Amino acid sequence: MNYLLLRYCGIFFLIALHLGASSPNFKLSWPTPNPAFARGLGYSTFLQKTGPDKAVTSGAYGCVRNNGYKFHEGLDLYPVKRDRRGKAEDSIYAAMDGVVSYVNSTASYSAYGKYIVLEHPQLNPPLYSLYAHLHSITPNLKRGSRIVIAQEIGKMGNSSSGYRIPLERSHLHFEMGLRLTDKFQNWYNKKPFTSKNRHDNFSGFNLVGLDPLAFYTKYKNKSISNPIDFIRALPVTVIVQVKTKNIPDFITRYPTLTTQTKSTATNGWTVSFGPYGIPLQLKPVEEMISEKEKQIKILQFNSNTQKKPCRRLTTQKGSEFFPTEQLQTYLELIFGL
Ligand SMILES: [Zn+2]
């Protein structure tokens, strides 16, 4: 059975989407009580746009902000219930069974405001999901707490460090994706940040989101039976060769995203990236890589996948391609460069 779980006013709804073969471990629940997506209604019935005169897609994933120049890594979902002052009252629910990886209960510490990250070890690969701008996080949830699908984990809000989200634009920022490294602090220490890293391995820099709406839609249409099906169907944007002896913890966390079967020494890696820098596959390079070779070399690039102006992975000078700062950052994080 393929269900989308919904919970409204404390009551569970099981919206049976399709009958069919889905992995028994792979069930999705909508993270808010809004039944609109499950009922097949349009974006405007659940996406929070960035302002009254903005396109509804400004609440979607992708190059949707600042005329396409600014990336938005998740979905902004608006509340279905408010108090008389306009304050959101929606509960926030876990999208899948999982484990609490991180809780930030101090709004001023992050642009995400109060946020919680779950990881979903039963999935292939074990995605994370992230719930941000919360009003509050359910008491007693802490790192290692086990969570069941559709369990309440917090309340919707408008918390954020820098930019103040007006009460009337209270929403859930919902993200799902992959985590690049277990050693985020090492990378952070090398960068000229003026404040300390307060979020361990769960800073936004270390998380790469995929498109949750595309993911939920494919789940609903029964075209994926596990997240790996979704990831394998993404187009390859760029293939990069990285010269390093380092074995990234990324492949231990996500073994299905590598062709590496044994942890023997390697001379480097070829990495395929999907849209906006989702790592799709890491392959060890057995052959020697010449001393003269650059540390990061673009092997292949598909310009059709980089038409939008934000989160670009390559730049071109003459006939040669170079990594953008964004791609450089992803590779530094994955390989500890
Ligand atoms: Zn957002």
Short mmCIF file of all heavy atoms in Angstrom, two decimals, residues 126-182:
data_model
loop_
_atom_site.label_atom_id
_atom_site.label_comp_id
_atom_site.label_asym_id
_atom_site.label_seq_id
_atom_site.Cartn_x
_atom_site.Cartn_y
_atom_site.Cartn_z
N PRO A 126 20.00 6.92 3.49
CA PRO A 126 19.34 7.50 4.67
C PRO A 126 19.31 9.02 4.64
O PRO A 126 20.21 9.69 5.12
CB PRO A 126 20.18 6.99 5.85
CG PRO A 126 21.46 6.54 5.27
CD PRO A 126 21.27 6.25 3.82
N LEU A 127 18.27 9.57 4.04
CA LEU A 127 18.14 11.02 3.90
C LEU A 127 18.00 11.69 5.27
O LEU A 127 17.63 11.05 6.24
CB LEU A 127 16.87 11.36 3.10
CG LEU A 127 16.74 10.85 1.68
CD1 LEU A 127 15.40 11.32 1.12
CD2 LEU A 127 17.88 11.36 0.82
N TYR A 128 18.25 12.99 5.27
CA TYR A 128 17.85 13.79 6.43
C TYR A 128 16.58 14.56 6.05
O TYR A 128 16.30 14.75 4.85
CB TYR A 128 18.97 14.76 6.86
CG TYR A 128 19.11 15.97 5.96
CD1 TYR A 128 18.32 17.10 6.14
CD2 TYR A 128 20.01 15.98 4.91
CE1 TYR A 128 18.42 18.20 5.30
CE2 TYR A 128 20.12 17.08 4.07
CZ TYR A 128 19.32 18.18 4.26
OH TYR A 128 19.41 19.25 3.43
N SER A 129 15.82 15.00 7.05
CA SER A 129 14.77 15.99 6.81
C SER A 129 14.93 17.09 7.84
O SER A 129 15.40 16.83 8.96
CB SER A 129 13.37 15.37 6.86
OG SER A 129 13.12 14.74 8.09
N LEU A 130 14.61 18.31 7.46
CA LEU A 130 14.87 19.48 8.32
C LEU A 130 13.63 20.36 8.37
O LEU A 130 12.96 20.57 7.34
CB LEU A 130 16.06 20.23 7.74
CG LEU A 130 16.50 21.52 8.44
CD1 LEU A 130 18.03 21.68 8.33
CD2 LEU A 130 15.84 22.76 7.85
N TYR A 131 13.32 20.85 9.55
CA TYR A 131 12.08 21.61 9.81
C TYR A 131 12.51 22.91 10.48
O TYR A 131 13.01 22.88 11.62
CB TYR A 131 11.17 20.78 10.73
CG TYR A 131 11.01 19.34 10.26
CD1 TYR A 131 12.02 18.38 10.47
CD2 TYR A 131 9.87 18.94 9.56
CE1 TYR A 131 11.89 17.07 10.02
CE2 TYR A 131 9.72 17.63 9.11
CZ TYR A 131 10.74 16.71 9.34
OH TYR A 131 10.60 15.41 8.88
N ALA A 132 12.31 24.03 9.80
CA ALA A 132 12.90 25.28 10.30
C ALA A 132 11.87 26.39 10.52
O ALA A 132 10.72 26.27 10.09
CB ALA A 132 13.97 25.76 9.33
N HIS A 133 12.34 27.45 11.15
CA HIS A 133 11.55 28.63 11.55
C HIS A 133 10.46 28.26 12.56
O HIS A 133 9.38 28.86 12.59
CB HIS A 133 10.91 29.35 10.35
CG HIS A 133 11.87 29.71 9.26
ND1 HIS A 133 13.07 30.34 9.52
CD2 HIS A 133 11.82 29.55 7.91
CE1 HIS A 133 13.70 30.55 8.37
NE2 HIS A 133 12.97 30.07 7.39
N LEU A 134 10.71 27.22 13.36
CA LEU A 134 9.67 26.74 14.27
C LEU A 134 9.39 27.75 15.39
O LEU A 134 10.27 28.52 15.79
CB LEU A 134 10.11 25.40 14.88
CG LEU A 134 10.34 24.26 13.87
CD1 LEU A 134 10.81 23.01 14.58
CD2 LEU A 134 9.08 23.97 13.07
N HIS A 135 8.16 27.72 15.86
CA HIS A 135 7.81 28.48 17.05
C HIS A 135 8.38 27.76 18.27
O HIS A 135 8.94 28.36 19.18
CB HIS A 135 6.29 28.62 17.16
CG HIS A 135 5.84 29.16 18.48
ND1 HIS A 135 5.99 30.48 18.82
CD2 HIS A 135 5.27 28.55 19.55
CE1 HIS A 135 5.54 30.67 20.04
NE2 HIS A 135 5.10 29.51 20.52
N SER A 136 8.24 26.45 18.27
CA SER A 136 8.77 25.65 19.38
C SER A 136 9.05 24.23 18.91
O SER A 136 8.49 23.78 17.90
CB SER A 136 7.76 25.60 20.53
OG SER A 136 6.53 25.07 20.07
N ILE A 137 9.92 23.59 19.64
CA ILE A 137 10.24 22.18 19.37
C ILE A 137 9.64 21.36 20.50
O ILE A 137 9.68 21.79 21.66
CB ILE A 137 11.77 22.01 19.27
CG1 ILE A 137 12.26 22.74 18.00
CG2 ILE A 137 12.17 20.53 19.23
CD1 ILE A 137 13.72 23.03 17.95
N THR A 138 9.05 20.24 20.17
CA THR A 138 8.39 19.41 21.19
C THR A 138 9.38 19.10 22.32
O THR A 138 10.49 18.64 22.04
CB THR A 138 7.87 18.11 20.53
OG1 THR A 138 6.96 18.50 19.50
CG2 THR A 138 7.17 17.21 21.53
N PRO A 139 8.99 19.40 23.57
CA PRO A 139 9.92 19.20 24.68
C PRO A 139 10.42 17.76 24.75
O PRO A 139 9.72 16.84 24.33
CB PRO A 139 9.08 19.53 25.93
CG PRO A 139 7.94 20.34 25.43
CD PRO A 139 7.70 19.91 24.00
N ASN A 140 11.61 17.63 25.26
CA ASN A 140 12.26 16.32 25.47
C ASN A 140 12.82 15.68 24.21
O ASN A 140 13.43 14.62 24.28
CB ASN A 140 11.35 15.31 26.19
CG ASN A 140 10.90 15.84 27.54
OD1 ASN A 140 11.66 16.53 28.23
ND2 ASN A 140 9.65 15.58 27.89
N LEU A 141 12.60 16.29 23.05
CA LEU A 141 13.25 15.72 21.86
C LEU A 141 14.71 16.13 21.90
O LEU A 141 15.03 17.31 22.04
CB LEU A 141 12.61 16.25 20.58
CG LEU A 141 11.20 15.75 20.27
CD1 LEU A 141 10.77 16.23 18.89
CD2 LEU A 141 11.13 14.22 20.33
N LYS A 142 15.59 15.16 21.78
CA LYS A 142 17.00 15.48 21.75
C LYS A 142 17.72 14.49 20.84
O LYS A 142 17.11 13.52 20.37
CB LYS A 142 17.60 15.48 23.15
CG LYS A 142 17.32 14.25 23.99
CD LYS A 142 17.97 14.41 25.35
CE LYS A 142 17.91 13.14 26.16
NZ LYS A 142 16.54 12.76 26.57
N ARG A 143 18.98 14.77 20.58
CA ARG A 143 19.76 13.93 19.69
C ARG A 143 19.61 12.46 20.09
O ARG A 143 19.75 12.12 21.26
CB ARG A 143 21.23 14.35 19.78
CG ARG A 143 22.07 13.77 18.69
CD ARG A 143 23.45 14.37 18.71
NE ARG A 143 23.42 15.75 18.21
CZ ARG A 143 24.50 16.41 17.85
NH1 ARG A 143 25.69 15.85 17.95
NH2 ARG A 143 24.42 17.65 17.40
N GLY A 144 19.26 11.62 19.14
CA GLY A 144 19.11 10.19 19.42
C GLY A 144 17.67 9.77 19.71
O GLY A 144 17.38 8.57 19.69
N SER A 145 16.76 10.74 19.95
CA SER A 145 15.35 10.36 20.19
C SER A 145 14.80 9.68 18.95
O SER A 145 14.95 10.20 17.83
CB SER A 145 14.48 11.59 20.48
OG SER A 145 14.90 12.29 21.60
N ARG A 146 14.12 8.57 19.14
CA ARG A 146 13.50 7.89 18.00
C ARG A 146 12.14 8.53 17.72
O ARG A 146 11.41 8.87 18.64
CB ARG A 146 13.33 6.40 18.28
CG ARG A 146 14.66 5.67 18.45
CD ARG A 146 14.49 4.18 18.23
NE ARG A 146 14.18 3.90 16.84
CZ ARG A 146 15.11 3.78 15.89
NH1 ARG A 146 16.38 3.91 16.18
NH2 ARG A 146 14.76 3.52 14.65
N ILE A 147 11.85 8.67 16.45
CA ILE A 147 10.64 9.37 16.03
C ILE A 147 9.88 8.45 15.09
O ILE A 147 10.49 7.80 14.25
CB ILE A 147 11.04 10.65 15.24
CG1 ILE A 147 11.87 11.60 16.11
CG2 ILE A 147 9.84 11.36 14.65
CD1 ILE A 147 11.11 12.29 17.20
N VAL A 148 8.56 8.43 15.22
CA VAL A 148 7.78 7.66 14.24
C VAL A 148 7.13 8.61 13.26
O VAL A 148 6.92 9.79 13.56
CB VAL A 148 6.72 6.74 14.89
CG1 VAL A 148 7.38 5.65 15.74
CG2 VAL A 148 5.72 7.54 15.71
N ILE A 149 6.84 8.08 12.10
CA ILE A 149 6.24 8.90 11.04
C ILE A 149 4.99 9.61 11.58
O ILE A 149 4.22 9.03 12.34
CB ILE A 149 5.91 8.01 9.81
CG1 ILE A 149 5.36 8.86 8.66
CG2 ILE A 149 4.97 6.87 10.16
CD1 ILE A 149 5.29 8.12 7.33
N ALA A 150 4.85 10.89 11.22
CA ALA A 150 3.71 11.74 11.58
C ALA A 150 3.66 12.08 13.06
O ALA A 150 2.68 12.66 13.53
CB ALA A 150 2.39 11.12 11.13
N GLN A 151 4.72 11.77 13.79
CA GLN A 151 4.80 12.21 15.19
C GLN A 151 4.98 13.73 15.22
O GLN A 151 5.74 14.29 14.42
CB GLN A 151 6.00 11.52 15.86
CG GLN A 151 6.17 11.87 17.33
CD GLN A 151 7.33 11.09 17.97
OE1 GLN A 151 7.67 9.99 17.54
NE2 GLN A 151 7.93 11.67 18.99
N GLU A 152 4.33 14.37 16.17
CA GLU A 152 4.50 15.83 16.30
C GLU A 152 5.90 16.12 16.84
O GLU A 152 6.33 15.54 17.83
CB GLU A 152 3.45 16.40 17.24
CG GLU A 152 3.61 17.91 17.37
CD GLU A 152 2.45 18.59 18.09
OE1 GLU A 152 1.30 18.11 18.00
OE2 GLU A 152 2.71 19.61 18.74
N ILE A 153 6.62 17.01 16.14
CA ILE A 153 7.97 17.36 16.58
C ILE A 153 8.11 18.85 16.92
O ILE A 153 9.12 19.27 17.45
CB ILE A 153 9.03 16.96 15.52
CG1 ILE A 153 8.67 17.53 14.15
CG2 ILE A 153 9.20 15.45 15.47
CD1 ILE A 153 9.73 17.30 13.09
N GLY A 154 7.08 19.62 16.62
CA GLY A 154 7.15 21.04 16.95
C GLY A 154 5.91 21.77 16.49
O GLY A 154 4.93 21.16 16.04
N LYS A 155 5.99 23.12 16.62
CA LYS A 155 4.89 23.97 16.15
C LYS A 155 5.43 24.96 15.12
O LYS A 155 6.56 25.46 15.26
CB LYS A 155 4.33 24.79 17.33
CG LYS A 155 3.64 23.93 18.38
CD LYS A 155 2.26 23.50 17.96
CE LYS A 155 1.56 22.76 19.09
NZ LYS A 155 0.38 22.01 18.61
N MET A 156 4.63 25.25 14.13
CA MET A 156 5.04 26.18 13.09
C MET A 156 5.25 27.58 13.67
O MET A 156 4.57 27.96 14.63
CB MET A 156 3.96 26.24 12.01
CG MET A 156 4.40 26.95 10.74
SD MET A 156 3.05 27.05 9.52
CE MET A 156 2.98 25.37 8.90
N GLY A 157 6.20 28.33 13.10
CA GLY A 157 6.45 29.67 13.61
C GLY A 157 7.10 30.57 12.58
O GLY A 157 6.93 30.36 11.36
N ASN A 158 7.82 31.56 13.05
CA ASN A 158 8.50 32.50 12.16
C ASN A 158 9.89 32.84 12.71
O ASN A 158 10.41 33.92 12.45
CB ASN A 158 7.65 33.77 11.97
CG ASN A 158 7.43 34.52 13.27
OD1 ASN A 158 7.54 33.94 14.36
ND2 ASN A 158 7.14 35.80 13.19
N SER A 159 10.48 31.91 13.46
CA SER A 159 11.77 32.21 14.09
C SER A 159 12.90 32.23 13.05
O SER A 159 12.88 31.47 12.09
CB SER A 159 12.08 31.20 15.20
OG SER A 159 12.23 29.89 14.68
N SER A 160 13.85 33.13 13.26
CA SER A 160 14.99 33.28 12.35
C SER A 160 15.99 34.21 13.01
O SER A 160 15.60 35.02 13.85
CB SER A 160 14.51 33.90 11.03
OG SER A 160 15.60 34.14 10.18
N SER A 161 17.26 34.10 12.66
CA SER A 161 18.25 34.99 13.29
C SER A 161 18.24 36.37 12.65
O SER A 161 17.78 37.33 13.22
CB SER A 161 19.65 34.38 13.23
OG SER A 161 20.01 34.14 11.90
N GLY A 162 18.68 36.48 11.40
CA GLY A 162 18.84 37.79 10.78
C GLY A 162 17.54 38.41 10.33
O GLY A 162 16.89 39.19 11.03
N TYR A 163 17.09 37.99 9.17
CA TYR A 163 15.88 38.55 8.56
C TYR A 163 14.64 38.18 9.39
O TYR A 163 14.43 37.03 9.73
CB TYR A 163 15.75 38.00 7.14
CG TYR A 163 14.44 38.34 6.48
CD1 TYR A 163 14.16 39.64 6.09
CD2 TYR A 163 13.48 37.35 6.28
CE1 TYR A 163 12.95 39.96 5.49
CE2 TYR A 163 12.26 37.66 5.68
CZ TYR A 163 12.00 38.97 5.29
OH TYR A 163 10.81 39.28 4.71
N ARG A 164 13.84 39.19 9.74
CA ARG A 164 12.66 38.93 10.54
C ARG A 164 11.51 38.49 9.63
O ARG A 164 11.10 39.23 8.73
CB ARG A 164 12.25 40.19 11.31
CG ARG A 164 11.35 39.91 12.50
CD ARG A 164 10.89 41.21 13.15
NE ARG A 164 9.95 41.94 12.29
CZ ARG A 164 8.64 41.66 12.17
NH1 ARG A 164 8.11 40.68 12.87
NH2 ARG A 164 7.88 42.37 11.37
N ILE A 165 11.00 37.31 9.85
CA ILE A 165 9.86 36.82 9.07
C ILE A 165 8.59 37.37 9.73
O ILE A 165 8.36 37.13 10.91
CB ILE A 165 9.81 35.27 9.06
CG1 ILE A 165 11.10 34.70 8.46
CG2 ILE A 165 8.59 34.76 8.31
CD1 ILE A 165 11.28 33.20 8.69
N PRO A 166 7.80 38.17 8.98
CA PRO A 166 6.59 38.72 9.60
C PRO A 166 5.64 37.60 10.04
O PRO A 166 5.61 36.53 9.42
CB PRO A 166 5.95 39.55 8.48
CG PRO A 166 6.91 39.57 7.36
CD PRO A 166 7.92 38.49 7.57
N LEU A 167 4.88 37.89 11.10
CA LEU A 167 3.96 36.89 11.66
C LEU A 167 3.02 36.33 10.57
O LEU A 167 2.77 35.13 10.53
CB LEU A 167 3.14 37.56 12.77
CG LEU A 167 2.54 36.66 13.82
CD1 LEU A 167 3.60 35.90 14.59
CD2 LEU A 167 1.68 37.48 14.78
N GLU A 168 2.58 37.22 9.69
CA GLU A 168 1.61 36.76 8.67
C GLU A 168 2.27 35.86 7.62
O GLU A 168 1.59 35.24 6.83
CB GLU A 168 0.89 37.95 8.01
CG GLU A 168 1.76 38.89 7.20
CD GLU A 168 2.36 40.03 8.02
OE1 GLU A 168 2.40 39.92 9.27
OE2 GLU A 168 2.80 41.02 7.41
N ARG A 169 3.60 35.84 7.63
CA ARG A 169 4.28 34.90 6.71
C ARG A 169 4.90 33.72 7.47
O ARG A 169 5.83 33.09 6.98
CB ARG A 169 5.34 35.63 5.89
CG ARG A 169 4.76 36.45 4.75
CD ARG A 169 5.60 36.37 3.49
NE ARG A 169 6.98 36.79 3.68
CZ ARG A 169 7.38 38.05 3.65
NH1 ARG A 169 6.52 39.02 3.45
NH2 ARG A 169 8.65 38.35 3.83
N SER A 170 4.40 33.45 8.65
CA SER A 170 4.85 32.26 9.38
C SER A 170 4.73 31.05 8.47
O SER A 170 3.74 30.91 7.74
CB SER A 170 3.97 32.02 10.61
OG SER A 170 4.08 33.09 11.51
N HIS A 171 5.73 30.21 8.47
CA HIS A 171 5.68 29.02 7.62
C HIS A 171 6.67 27.98 8.12
O HIS A 171 7.54 28.29 8.93
CB HIS A 171 6.00 29.38 6.16
CG HIS A 171 7.38 29.94 5.94
ND1 HIS A 171 7.66 31.29 5.98
CD2 HIS A 171 8.56 29.32 5.69
CE1 HIS A 171 8.94 31.48 5.75
NE2 HIS A 171 9.54 30.30 5.57
N LEU A 172 6.54 26.79 7.61
CA LEU A 172 7.55 25.77 7.83
C LEU A 172 8.50 25.79 6.63
O LEU A 172 8.05 25.71 5.49
CB LEU A 172 6.91 24.38 7.92
CG LEU A 172 7.92 23.21 7.92
CD1 LEU A 172 8.70 23.16 9.23
CD2 LEU A 172 7.23 21.88 7.67
N HIS A 173 9.79 25.93 6.89
CA HIS A 173 10.78 25.66 5.84
C HIS A 173 11.14 24.19 5.97
O HIS A 173 11.65 23.76 7.00
CB HIS A 173 12.01 26.56 6.02
CG HIS A 173 13.13 26.19 5.09
ND1 HIS A 173 13.29 26.76 3.85
CD2 HIS A 173 14.14 25.30 5.23
CE1 HIS A 173 14.35 26.21 3.25
NE2 HIS A 173 14.88 25.32 4.07
N PHE A 174 10.85 23.44 4.94
CA PHE A 174 11.02 21.98 4.98
C PHE A 174 12.02 21.55 3.92
O PHE A 174 11.90 21.90 2.75
CB PHE A 174 9.66 21.32 4.72
CG PHE A 174 9.73 19.82 4.62
CD1 PHE A 174 10.12 19.06 5.71
CD2 PHE A 174 9.40 19.17 3.43
CE1 PHE A 174 10.18 17.67 5.63
CE2 PHE A 174 9.45 17.79 3.34
CZ PHE A 174 9.85 17.04 4.44
N GLU A 175 12.99 20.79 4.37
CA GLU A 175 14.10 20.41 3.50
C GLU A 175 14.34 18.91 3.62
O GLU A 175 14.16 18.33 4.70
CB GLU A 175 15.33 21.16 4.05
CG GLU A 175 16.34 21.59 3.05
CD GLU A 175 17.39 22.50 3.72
OE1 GLU A 175 17.07 23.64 4.07
OE2 GLU A 175 18.52 22.05 3.88
N MET A 176 14.78 18.30 2.56
CA MET A 176 15.26 16.92 2.66
C MET A 176 16.45 16.73 1.75
O MET A 176 16.54 17.36 0.69
CB MET A 176 14.17 15.88 2.35
CG MET A 176 13.18 16.23 1.34
SD MET A 176 11.64 15.26 1.34
CE MET A 176 12.06 13.77 2.11
N GLY A 177 17.38 15.88 2.17
CA GLY A 177 18.56 15.70 1.33
C GLY A 177 19.66 14.90 1.98
O GLY A 177 19.40 14.00 2.79
N LEU A 178 20.90 15.26 1.62
CA LEU A 178 22.09 14.51 2.03
C LEU A 178 23.02 15.40 2.84
O LEU A 178 23.05 16.62 2.64
CB LEU A 178 22.84 14.00 0.79
CG LEU A 178 22.05 13.12 -0.18
CD1 LEU A 178 22.84 12.90 -1.47
CD2 LEU A 178 21.72 11.78 0.46
N ARG A 179 23.78 14.76 3.71
CA ARG A 179 24.74 15.49 4.54
C ARG A 179 26.14 15.19 4.03
O ARG A 179 26.50 14.04 3.78
CB ARG A 179 24.58 15.03 5.99
CG ARG A 179 25.27 15.89 7.00
CD ARG A 179 24.66 15.63 8.37
NE ARG A 179 24.72 14.24 8.77
CZ ARG A 179 25.82 13.63 9.21
NH1 ARG A 179 26.94 14.29 9.34
NH2 ARG A 179 25.78 12.36 9.56
N LEU A 180 26.95 16.24 3.86
CA LEU A 180 28.21 16.06 3.14
C LEU A 180 29.32 15.44 3.97
O LEU A 180 30.08 14.62 3.48
CB LEU A 180 28.66 17.40 2.54
CG LEU A 180 27.70 17.98 1.49
CD1 LEU A 180 28.12 19.37 1.06
CD2 LEU A 180 27.63 17.05 0.28
N THR A 181 29.50 15.88 5.23
CA THR A 181 30.63 15.39 6.01
C THR A 181 30.30 15.23 7.50
O THR A 181 29.40 15.89 8.02
CB THR A 181 31.86 16.33 5.86
OG1 THR A 181 32.94 15.82 6.67
CG2 THR A 181 31.57 17.75 6.31
N ASP A 182 31.05 14.36 8.14
CA ASP A 182 30.99 14.22 9.60
C ASP A 182 32.00 15.14 10.28
O ASP A 182 32.08 15.18 11.50
CB ASP A 182 31.35 12.77 10.01
CG ASP A 182 30.23 11.79 9.72
OD1 ASP A 182 29.08 12.24 9.55
OD2 ASP A 182 30.52 10.58 9.64
#
